[in-house]
Amino acid sequence: MEMQHQVRLEVRSLFKAYRRHQILEDVTFSAASGQCVGIVGSNGCGKTTLLSILAGAVRADKGSIRYHGREAIGAPRVFDQEVAYVPQENPLMGELSVKDNLSLWYRGGRKRMEEDLKNGPAALLGIDKMLKKTVATLSGGMKKRLSIACALSNHASVLILDEPGAALDLEGKAEVRGYVEGYIRSGGTVVLASHEMEELALCTQMYVLKGGKLYPIEAGAPEEKLREAFQM
């Protein structure tokens, strides 16, 4: 049986620059099972770059990312197996059905996908109830749920979310937040970037990203404290 606080993700001394502009500088943190790490910061501070590096979509200039003790940098298979990434921008094909999108993005065989639609993440997200719908006709919340189901088709224990509630109405935000809360409660590890206080309330650890560096801030800090931290 997995220990309650098993370390899932260890990030050590990440650096990333574009030309002469330093985006990330010596970023270091860790996250364990049942924990949610929140990354906050002003627009353009590098949050999306950091999450993209953690997901293997962008490569760091220097540093280490270990999932369950396995070094991921330089080993794409580790990223594929250990992490699920939901970017802020919707990657779905609007003209295709929900089922076609799930099949397109699914990391596994057809039999496993059918099992997931009965008992896995796709079922928990309610994807089985909208398979015939065209993605373009879905609400924002439904699209986000489908994106999460596609990302979690590898059954990863680390879920990375970039502004999960962005552009969603109140109902959509609540749906996504409810699933993320359940994922954490079941022992999953989440790393999210967000401006939404309701989403940040799920976090057990929080950091402000400023000047390329992470600064710890109290989890559950009120909005006023966050604004002050941005200006430090």
Side-chain angles (χ1 to χ4, degrees), residues 126-193:
I127 307 304
D128 55 320
K129 299 178 179 65
M130 54 185 187
L131 290 175
K132 294 182 180 180
K133 292 181 180 290
T134 302
V135 165
T137 67
L138 300 180
S139 68
M142 288 178 174
K143 289 176 183 176
K144 186 64 74 171
R145 281 158 48 197
L146 177 57
S147 295
I148 294 173
C150 291
L152 279 171
S153 61
N154 61 351
H155 289 217
S157 58
V158 179
L159 176 60
I160 296 177
L161 300 164
D162 192 357
E163 301 287 353
L168 300 186
D169 59 20
L170 291 176
E171 183 178 2
K173 292 177 191 291
E175 288 176 357
V176 172
R177 192 168 61 249
Y179 177 78
V180 173
E181 187 173 17
Y183 180 85
I184 297 166
R185 194 166 52 242
S186 68
T189 301
V190 171
V191 180
L192 66 84

Coordinates of all heavy atoms in Angstrom, one line a residue, residues 126-193:
G126 N -17.4 12.0 -16.1 CA -18.7 12.0 -16.8 C -18.6 12.0 -18.3 O -19.6 12.3 -19.1
I127 N -17.4 11.5 -18.9 CA -17.2 11.5 -20.3 C -18.1 10.5 -21.0 O -18.6 10.7 -22.1 CB -15.8 11.3 -20.7 CG1 -14.8 12.2 -19.9 CG2 -15.5 11.3 -22.2 CD1 -15.2 13.7 -20.2
D128 N -18.4 9.4 -20.3 CA -19.3 8.3 -20.8 C -20.7 8.8 -21.2 O -21.3 8.2 -22.0 CB -19.4 7.2 -19.9 CG -19.9 7.6 -18.5 OD1 -19.5 8.7 -18.0 OD2 -20.7 6.8 -17.9
K129 N -21.1 9.9 -20.6 CA -22.5 10.4 -20.9 C -22.5 11.4 -22.0 O -23.6 11.9 -22.4 CB -23.0 11.1 -19.6 CG -23.1 10.2 -18.4 CD -23.6 10.9 -17.2 CE -23.7 10.0 -16.0 NZ -22.4 9.5 -15.5
M130 N -21.4 11.7 -22.7 CA -21.4 12.7 -23.8 C -20.6 12.3 -25.0 O -20.2 13.1 -25.8 CB -21.0 14.1 -23.2 CG -19.6 14.1 -22.6 SD -19.2 15.7 -21.9 CE -17.6 15.5 -21.3
L131 N -20.4 11.0 -25.1 CA -19.5 10.5 -26.2 C -20.0 10.9 -27.6 O -19.1 11.1 -28.5 CB -19.4 8.9 -26.1 CG -18.7 8.4 -24.9 CD1 -18.8 6.8 -24.9 CD2 -17.2 8.8 -24.9
K132 N -21.3 11.0 -27.8 CA -21.7 11.2 -29.2 C -21.8 12.7 -29.5 O -22.0 13.1 -30.7 CB -23.1 10.6 -29.4 CG -23.1 9.1 -29.4 CD -24.5 8.5 -29.6 CE -24.4 7.0 -29.6 NZ -25.8 6.4 -29.8
K133 N -21.6 13.6 -28.5 CA -21.7 15.0 -28.8 C -20.5 15.5 -29.5 O -19.4 15.0 -29.4 CB -21.8 15.8 -27.4 CG -23.1 15.5 -26.6 CD -23.0 16.3 -25.3 CE -24.3 16.1 -24.5 NZ -25.5 16.8 -25.2
T134 N -20.7 16.5 -30.4 CA -19.6 17.2 -31.1 C -19.0 18.2 -30.1 O -19.7 18.9 -29.4 CB -20.1 17.9 -32.3 OG1 -20.8 17.0 -33.2 CG2 -19.0 18.6 -33.1
V135 N -17.6 18.2 -30.1 CA -16.9 19.0 -29.1 C -17.3 20.5 -29.2 O -17.4 21.2 -28.2 CB -15.4 18.8 -29.2 CG1 -14.6 19.9 -28.5 CG2 -15.0 17.4 -28.7
A136 N -17.5 20.9 -30.4 CA -17.9 22.4 -30.6 C -19.2 22.7 -29.9 O -19.4 23.9 -29.6 CB -18.0 22.7 -32.1
T137 N -20.0 21.8 -29.6 CA -21.3 22.1 -28.9 C -21.2 22.0 -27.4 O -22.2 22.3 -26.7 CB -22.4 21.1 -29.4 OG1 -22.1 19.8 -28.9 CG2 -22.5 21.1 -30.9
L138 N -20.1 21.6 -26.9 CA -19.9 21.4 -25.4 C -19.7 22.7 -24.7 O -19.2 23.7 -25.3 CB -18.7 20.5 -25.1 CG -18.7 19.1 -25.7 CD1 -17.4 18.4 -25.2 CD2 -19.9 18.3 -25.2
S139 N -20.1 22.8 -23.4 CA -19.8 23.9 -22.6 C -18.3 23.9 -22.3 O -17.6 22.9 -22.5 CB -20.6 23.8 -21.3 OG -20.2 22.8 -20.5
G140 N -17.9 25.1 -21.8 CA -16.4 25.2 -21.4 C -16.1 24.2 -20.4 O -15.0 23.6 -20.4
G141 N -16.9 23.9 -19.4 CA -16.7 23.0 -18.3 C -16.5 21.6 -18.9 O -15.7 20.8 -18.5
M142 N -17.4 21.2 -19.8 CA -17.4 19.9 -20.4 C -16.1 19.7 -21.2 O -15.4 18.6 -21.1 CB -18.6 19.7 -21.3 CG -19.9 19.5 -20.6 SD -21.2 19.3 -21.8 CE -22.6 18.9 -20.7
K143 N -15.7 20.7 -21.9 CA -14.4 20.6 -22.7 C -13.2 20.4 -21.8 O -12.3 19.6 -22.1 CB -14.2 21.9 -23.6 CG -15.2 22.0 -24.7 CD -15.0 23.3 -25.4 CE -16.0 23.5 -26.6 NZ -15.9 24.8 -27.2
K144 N -13.2 21.2 -20.7 CA -12.1 21.0 -19.7 C -12.1 19.6 -19.1 O -11.0 19.0 -19.0 CB -12.2 22.1 -18.7 CG -11.0 22.1 -17.7 CD -9.7 22.5 -18.4 CE -9.7 24.0 -18.8 NZ -8.4 24.4 -19.3
R145 N -13.3 19.1 -18.8 CA -13.3 17.7 -18.3 C -12.8 16.7 -19.3 O -12.1 15.8 -18.9 CB -14.8 17.4 -17.9 CG -15.2 18.0 -16.5 CD -16.7 18.1 -16.4 NE -17.4 16.9 -16.7 CZ -18.7 16.9 -17.0 NH1 -19.4 18.0 -16.9 NH2 -19.3 15.8 -17.3
L146 N -13.1 16.9 -20.5 CA -12.6 16.0 -21.6 C -11.1 16.1 -21.7 O -10.4 15.1 -21.9 CB -13.3 16.3 -22.9 CG -12.9 15.5 -24.1 CD1 -13.0 14.0 -23.9 CD2 -13.7 15.9 -25.4
S147 N -10.6 17.4 -21.7 CA -9.2 17.6 -21.7 C -8.4 16.9 -20.6 O -7.4 16.2 -20.8 CB -8.8 19.1 -21.7 OG -9.3 19.7 -22.8
I148 N -9.0 16.9 -19.4 CA -8.4 16.2 -18.2 C -8.5 14.7 -18.4 O -7.5 14.0 -18.2 CB -9.1 16.6 -16.9 CG1 -8.9 18.1 -16.6 CG2 -8.6 15.8 -15.8 CD1 -9.7 18.6 -15.5
A149 N -9.6 14.2 -19.0 CA -9.7 12.8 -19.2 C -8.7 12.3 -20.2 O -8.1 11.2 -20.1 CB -11.1 12.4 -19.7
C150 N -8.5 13.1 -21.3 CA -7.5 12.7 -22.3 C -6.1 12.7 -21.6 O -5.3 11.8 -21.9 CB -7.5 13.7 -23.4 SG -9.0 13.6 -24.5
A151 N -5.8 13.7 -20.8 CA -4.5 13.8 -20.2 C -4.2 12.7 -19.2 O -3.1 12.2 -19.2 CB -4.3 15.2 -19.5
L152 N -5.3 12.3 -18.5 CA -5.1 11.2 -17.5 C -5.3 9.8 -18.1 O -5.4 8.8 -17.3 CB -6.1 11.4 -16.4 CG -5.7 12.5 -15.3 CD1 -6.9 12.8 -14.4 CD2 -4.5 12.0 -14.6
S153 N -5.3 9.7 -19.4 CA -5.4 8.4 -20.0 C -4.2 7.5 -19.7 O -4.3 6.3 -19.9 CB -5.6 8.5 -21.5 OG -4.5 9.1 -22.2
N154 N -3.1 8.1 -19.3 CA -2.0 7.3 -18.9 C -2.1 6.9 -17.4 O -1.1 6.3 -16.8 CB -0.7 8.0 -19.1 CG -0.5 9.3 -18.4 OD1 -1.5 9.8 -17.8 ND2 0.6 9.9 -18.4
H155 N -3.1 7.3 -16.7 CA -3.3 7.0 -15.3 C -2.2 7.6 -14.4 O -1.8 7.0 -13.5 CB -3.5 5.5 -15.0 CG -4.8 5.0 -15.5 ND1 -5.5 4.0 -14.9 CD2 -5.6 5.3 -16.6 CE1 -6.6 3.7 -15.5 NE2 -6.7 4.5 -16.6
A156 N -1.7 8.7 -14.8 CA -0.6 9.4 -14.1 C -1.0 9.7 -12.7 O -2.2 10.1 -12.4 CB -0.1 10.6 -14.8
S157 N 0.0 9.7 -11.8 CA -0.3 10.1 -10.4 C 0.0 11.6 -10.1 O -0.1 12.1 -9.0 CB 0.5 9.2 -9.4 OG 1.9 9.3 -9.7
V158 N 0.6 12.3 -11.2 CA 0.8 13.7 -11.1 C 0.1 14.4 -12.2 O 0.3 14.1 -13.4 CB 2.4 14.0 -11.2 CG1 2.6 15.5 -11.1 CG2 3.1 13.3 -10.1
L159 N -0.8 15.4 -11.8 CA -1.6 16.1 -12.7 C -1.2 17.6 -12.7 O -1.2 18.2 -11.7 CB -3.1 16.0 -12.3 CG -4.1 16.8 -13.1 CD1 -4.1 16.4 -14.6 CD2 -5.5 16.6 -12.5
I160 N -0.8 18.1 -13.9 CA -0.4 19.5 -14.0 C -1.4 20.3 -14.8 O -1.8 19.9 -15.9 CB 1.0 19.5 -14.7 CG1 2.0 18.8 -13.9 CG2 1.4 21.0 -15.0 CD1 3.4 18.8 -14.6
L161 N -1.9 21.4 -14.1 CA -3.0 22.1 -14.7 C -2.6 23.6 -14.8 O -2.2 24.2 -13.8 CB -4.2 22.0 -13.7 CG -4.8 20.7 -13.5 CD1 -5.7 20.7 -12.3 CD2 -5.6 20.2 -14.7
D162 N -2.7 24.2 -16.0 CA -2.4 25.6 -16.2 C -3.7 26.3 -16.3 O -4.5 26.2 -17.3 CB -1.6 25.7 -17.5 CG -1.0 27.1 -17.7 OD1 -1.3 28.0 -16.8 OD2 -0.3 27.3 -18.7
E163 N -4.0 27.1 -15.3 CA -5.2 28.0 -15.3 C -6.5 27.1 -15.6 O -7.2 27.4 -16.6 CB -5.1 29.1 -16.2 CG -4.0 30.1 -15.9 CD -4.2 30.9 -14.7 OE1 -5.3 30.9 -14.1 OE2 -3.2 31.6 -14.3
P164 N -6.8 26.1 -14.8 CA -7.9 25.2 -15.1 C -9.2 25.8 -15.2 O -10.1 25.4 -16.0 CB -7.8 24.1 -14.0 CG -7.1 24.8 -12.9 CD -6.1 25.7 -13.5
G165 N -9.5 26.9 -14.5 CA -10.8 27.6 -14.5 C -10.9 28.7 -15.5 O -12.0 29.3 -15.6
A166 N -9.8 29.0 -16.3 CA -9.8 30.1 -17.2 C -11.0 30.0 -18.2 O -11.2 28.9 -18.8 CB -8.5 30.3 -17.9
A167 N -11.7 31.1 -18.4 CA -12.7 31.2 -19.4 C -13.9 30.3 -19.2 O -14.8 30.1 -20.0 CB -12.2 30.9 -20.8
L168 N -14.0 29.7 -18.0 CA -15.2 28.9 -17.6 C -16.2 29.7 -16.8 O -15.9 30.6 -16.1 CB -14.8 27.7 -16.8 CG -13.8 26.7 -17.4 CD1 -13.6 25.5 -16.5 CD2 -14.2 26.2 -18.8
D169 N -17.5 29.3 -17.0 CA -18.5 30.0 -16.1 C -18.4 29.3 -14.7 O -17.7 28.4 -14.5 CB -19.9 29.8 -16.7 CG -20.3 28.4 -17.0 OD1 -19.8 27.5 -16.3 OD2 -21.3 28.1 -17.8
L170 N -19.3 29.8 -13.8 CA -19.2 29.4 -12.4 C -19.5 27.9 -12.3 O -18.8 27.2 -11.5 CB -20.2 30.2 -11.6 CG -19.9 31.7 -11.4 CD1 -21.0 32.3 -10.6 CD2 -18.6 31.8 -10.6
E171 N -20.4 27.4 -13.1 CA -20.7 26.0 -13.0 C -19.5 25.1 -13.5 O -19.1 24.1 -12.9 CB -21.9 25.6 -13.9 CG -22.4 24.2 -13.8 CD -23.6 23.9 -14.6 OE1 -24.1 24.8 -15.2 OE2 -24.0 22.7 -14.6
G172 N -18.9 25.6 -14.6 CA -17.7 24.9 -15.1 C -16.6 24.9 -14.2 O -15.9 23.9 -14.0
K173 N -16.3 26.0 -13.5 CA -15.2 26.1 -12.6 C -15.5 25.1 -11.4 O -14.6 24.4 -10.9 CB -15.2 27.5 -12.0 CG -14.7 28.6 -13.0 CD -14.7 30.0 -12.3 CE -14.5 31.1 -13.3 NZ -13.2 31.2 -13.9
A174 N -16.7 25.1 -11.0 CA -17.1 24.2 -9.8 C -16.9 22.7 -10.2 O -16.4 21.9 -9.4 CB -18.5 24.4 -9.4
E175 N -17.3 22.4 -11.4 CA -17.2 21.0 -11.9 C -15.7 20.6 -11.9 O -15.3 19.5 -11.4 CB -17.7 20.8 -13.3 CG -19.2 20.9 -13.4 CD -19.7 20.9 -14.9 OE1 -18.8 20.8 -15.8 OE2 -20.9 20.8 -15.1
V176 N -14.8 21.4 -12.5 CA -13.4 21.1 -12.6 C -12.8 21.0 -11.2 O -12.0 20.1 -10.9 CB -12.7 22.1 -13.5 CG1 -11.2 21.9 -13.5 CG2 -13.2 21.9 -14.9
R177 N -13.1 22.0 -10.4 CA -12.6 22.1 -9.0 C -13.0 20.9 -8.2 O -12.2 20.3 -7.5 CB -13.0 23.4 -8.4 CG -12.3 23.7 -7.1 CD -12.6 25.1 -6.6 NE -14.0 25.3 -6.3 CZ -14.8 26.1 -7.0 NH1 -14.4 26.7 -8.1 NH2 -16.1 26.2 -6.7
G178 N -14.2 20.4 -8.4 CA -14.7 19.2 -7.7 C -13.9 18.0 -8.0 O -13.5 17.2 -7.2
Y179 N -13.6 17.8 -9.4 CA -12.8 16.7 -9.8 C -11.4 16.7 -9.2 O -10.9 15.7 -8.7 CB -12.8 16.5 -11.3 CG -11.9 15.4 -11.7 CD1 -12.4 14.1 -11.6 CD2 -10.6 15.5 -12.0 CE1 -11.6 13.0 -11.9 CE2 -9.8 14.5 -12.3 CZ -10.3 13.2 -12.2 OH -9.5 12.1 -12.5
V180 N -10.8 17.9 -9.3 CA -9.4 18.1 -8.8 C -9.3 17.8 -7.3 O -8.4 17.1 -6.9 CB -8.9 19.5 -9.2 CG1 -7.5 19.7 -8.5 CG2 -8.8 19.7 -10.7
E181 N -10.3 18.3 -6.6 CA -10.4 18.0 -5.2 C -10.4 16.5 -4.9 O -9.7 16.0 -4.0 CB -11.6 18.7 -4.6 CG -11.6 18.7 -3.1 CD -12.7 19.5 -2.5 OE1 -13.7 19.9 -3.3 OE2 -12.7 19.8 -1.3
G182 N -11.2 15.8 -5.7 CA -11.4 14.3 -5.5 C -10.1 13.6 -5.8 O -9.7 12.6 -5.2
Y183 N -9.4 14.1 -6.9 CA -8.1 13.5 -7.3 C -7.1 13.6 -6.2 O -6.3 12.7 -5.9 CB -7.7 14.2 -8.6 CG -6.4 13.7 -9.2 CD1 -6.4 12.6 -10.0 CD2 -5.2 14.4 -8.9 CE1 -5.2 12.2 -10.6 CE2 -4.0 13.9 -9.5 CZ -4.0 12.9 -10.3 OH -2.8 12.4 -10.9
I184 N -7.0 14.8 -5.6 CA -6.1 15.0 -4.5 C -6.4 14.1 -3.3 O -5.6 13.5 -2.7 CB -6.1 16.5 -4.1 CG1 -5.6 17.4 -5.2 CG2 -5.2 16.7 -2.8 CD1 -5.9 18.9 -5.0
R185 N -7.7 14.1 -3.0 CA -8.2 13.3 -1.8 C -7.9 11.8 -2.0 O -7.6 11.1 -1.0 CB -9.7 13.5 -1.6 CG -10.2 13.1 -0.3 CD -11.6 13.6 0.0 NE -12.5 13.4 -1.1 CZ -13.1 14.3 -1.8 NH1 -12.9 15.6 -1.6 NH2 -14.0 14.0 -2.8
S186 N -7.9 11.4 -3.3 CA -7.6 9.9 -3.5 C -6.1 9.6 -3.5 O -5.7 8.5 -3.8 CB -8.2 9.5 -4.8 OG -7.6 10.1 -5.9
G187 N -5.3 10.6 -3.3 CA -3.8 10.4 -3.2 C -3.1 11.0 -4.4 O -1.8 10.8 -4.5
G188 N -3.7 11.6 -5.4 CA -3.0 12.2 -6.5 C -2.3 13.4 -6.1 O -2.5 14.0 -5.1
T189 N -1.3 13.8 -6.9 CA -0.5 15.0 -6.7 C -0.8 16.0 -7.8 O -0.9 15.6 -9.0 CB 1.0 14.6 -6.8 OG1 1.3 13.7 -5.8 CG2 1.9 15.9 -6.6
V190 N -1.1 17.2 -7.5 CA -1.4 18.3 -8.4 C -0.4 19.4 -8.3 O -0.1 19.8 -7.2 CB -2.9 18.8 -8.2 CG1 -3.2 20.0 -9.0 CG2 -3.9 17.6 -8.4
V191 N -0.1 19.9 -9.5 CA 0.7 21.2 -9.6 C -0.2 22.1 -10.5 O -0.5 21.7 -11.6 CB 2.1 21.0 -10.2 CG1 2.8 22.4 -10.3 CG2 2.9 20.0 -9.4
L192 N -0.6 23.2 -10.0 CA -1.4 24.1 -10.8 C -1.0 25.6 -10.7 O -0.5 26.0 -9.7 CB -2.9 24.0 -10.4 CG -3.4 24.4 -9.0 CD1 -3.7 25.9 -9.0 CD2 -4.7 23.7 -8.7
A193 N -1.2 26.2 -11.8 CA -1.0 27.7 -11.9 C -2.4 28.3 -12.0 O -3.2 27.8 -12.8 CB -0.2 28.1 -13.1

